Amino acid sequence: VQSPHGWNREIAQSLERNALLHSMGNVTCTPSQAGSKRIGHFEMTLAEYLTEWLPRPISRNAEENRYVFGEFGEQWAPLRKTYVLPPCEVCSHDAAAVTIGLGGKYSGAPWHFHNSAFVEVFDGAKYFAFLPPGDPVIEEIEKVMQFNASMSQFHWHLEERPILENKGRLRNMQECVINPGEILYFPDNWHHGVINLGEYTAFVSSFINKDLAKDKSVKTRRPGSTNNFLKLLPP
């Protein structure tokens, strides 16, 4: 959904690449490999990541790409606290884990699932592919990815997706692209893979406490459908 004009203006300005480099360049970040598992965390300064790692072209070898996500350290706390959560009944900084993400073009997160979450993009764009809980193709995808632990989500779309589509196994997959000023919500246990489409993508993910969500309803839409991912890629 489109957020109101001026919503989260403060953090949006702070996450502009040059502003972030100036204000937090010496802060430690822990980017990890963008393969089928979140492994290989390395500590480096944010300046090193933004100037040396983020601009690298995507490689099938996950060791050659890094993706900043899940920075819960105290150095990042002031920035996280400026984020205004969406207006849902369980959306408070005590009930939602707010994390900041940064990534270069075609970096991202492989197929995974977790509790319900909101994602808000401030720079660049993010592509999501979703599969509903219990879809039989999930097990098939996980088996393939176990043998291709270094495969990025981008390369899964290039190499494995056509095989499954030809078999008619992805009929339930839904896709969408989130642009600056837009917020996405998805429920518990929806498998999803994510790709950053901008040369520099900055976003915030808010993970909702499951125990609170059981007693409070979070009104939302199902993930939206779009055209095939390959048709959505920018030139």
Side-chain angles (χ1 to χ4, degrees):
V1 295
Q2 188 74 35
S3 60
H5 179 71
W7 179 264
N8 270 314
R9 185 189 304 273
E10 182 177 354
I11 194 170
Q13 293 174 341
S14 298
L15 287 175
E16 291 178 358
R17 185 184 181 281
N18 290 337
L20 193 62
L21 188 60
H22 175 75
S23 64
M24 296 182 62
N26 292 326
V27 168
T28 299
C29 64
T30 55
S32 62
Q33 297 177 13
S36 64
K37 295 182 180 180
R38 303 294 294 161
I39 58 175
H41 291 77
F42 288 86
E43 285 194 4
M44 63 183 72
T45 66
L46 185 58
E48 182 181 356
Y49 175 72
L50 290 176
T51 59
E52 298 180 23
W53 281 93
L54 185 142
R56 294 184 178 186
I58 191 68
S59 169
R60 195 182 190 281
N61 183 354
E63 293 183 3
E64 297 178 9
N65 293 108
R66 296 285 184 268
Y67 177 40
V68 171
F69 185 66
E71 299 294 350
F72 294 107
E74 287 304 309
Q75 292 178 303
W76 292 81
L79 186 57
R80 291 197 306 270
K81 289 178 180 178
T82 64
Y83 180 68
V84 180
L85 284 153
C88 77
E89 292 187 37
V90 294
C91 291
S92 70
H93 281 271
D94 293 328
V98 175
T99 184
I100 294 166
L102 307 169
K105 191 173 185 179
Y106 300 155
S107 64
W111 285 104
H112 64 288
F113 69 95
H114 46 66
N115 52 313
S116 57
F118 289 90
V119 180
E120 184 169 358
V121 171
F122 295 101
D123 209 323
K126 293 183 74 66
Y127 160 84
F128 285 79
F130 289 96
L131 286 166
D135 192 295
V137 78
I138 292 173
E139 183 178 356
E140 195 171 340
I141 290 174
E142 289 180 343
K143 286 181 179 179
V144 169
M145 297 301 272
Q146 285 177 359
F147 292 100
N148 294 277
S150 65
M151 181 186 293
S152 72
Q153 183 69 5
F154 176 77
H155 285 87
W156 179 87
H157 281 280
L158 295 180
E159 300 175 18
E160 299 297 330
R161 174 174 177 159
I163 297 172
L164 293 174
E165 283 184 322
N166 288 337
K167 295 178 180 179
R169 303 284 286 153
L170 297 178
R171 289 187 297 269
N172 295 325
M173 189 170 75
Q174 299 183 51
E175 306 169 79
C176 62
V177 172
I178 310 303
N179 295 294
E182 296 179 339
I183 302 174
L184 169 72
Y185 170 83
F186 54 91
D188 287 353
N189 300 323
W190 276 70
H191 271 71
H192 55 286
V194 189
I195 298 175
N196 299 310
L197 297 182
E199 299 289 344
Y200 167 74
T201 295
F203 64 97
V204 171
S205 293
S206 305
F207 301 96
I208 306 303
N209 183 301
K210 282 186 176 182
D211 294 330
L212 291 176
K214 288 178 182 178
D215 301 322
K216 303 283 187 177
S217 62
V218 181
K219 296 180 180 179
T220 182
R221 304 187 309 181
R222 295 179 69 192
S225 298
T226 68
N227 294 325
N228 185 291
F229 165 71
L230 297 179
K231 298 179 181 178
L232 298 171
L233 296 180

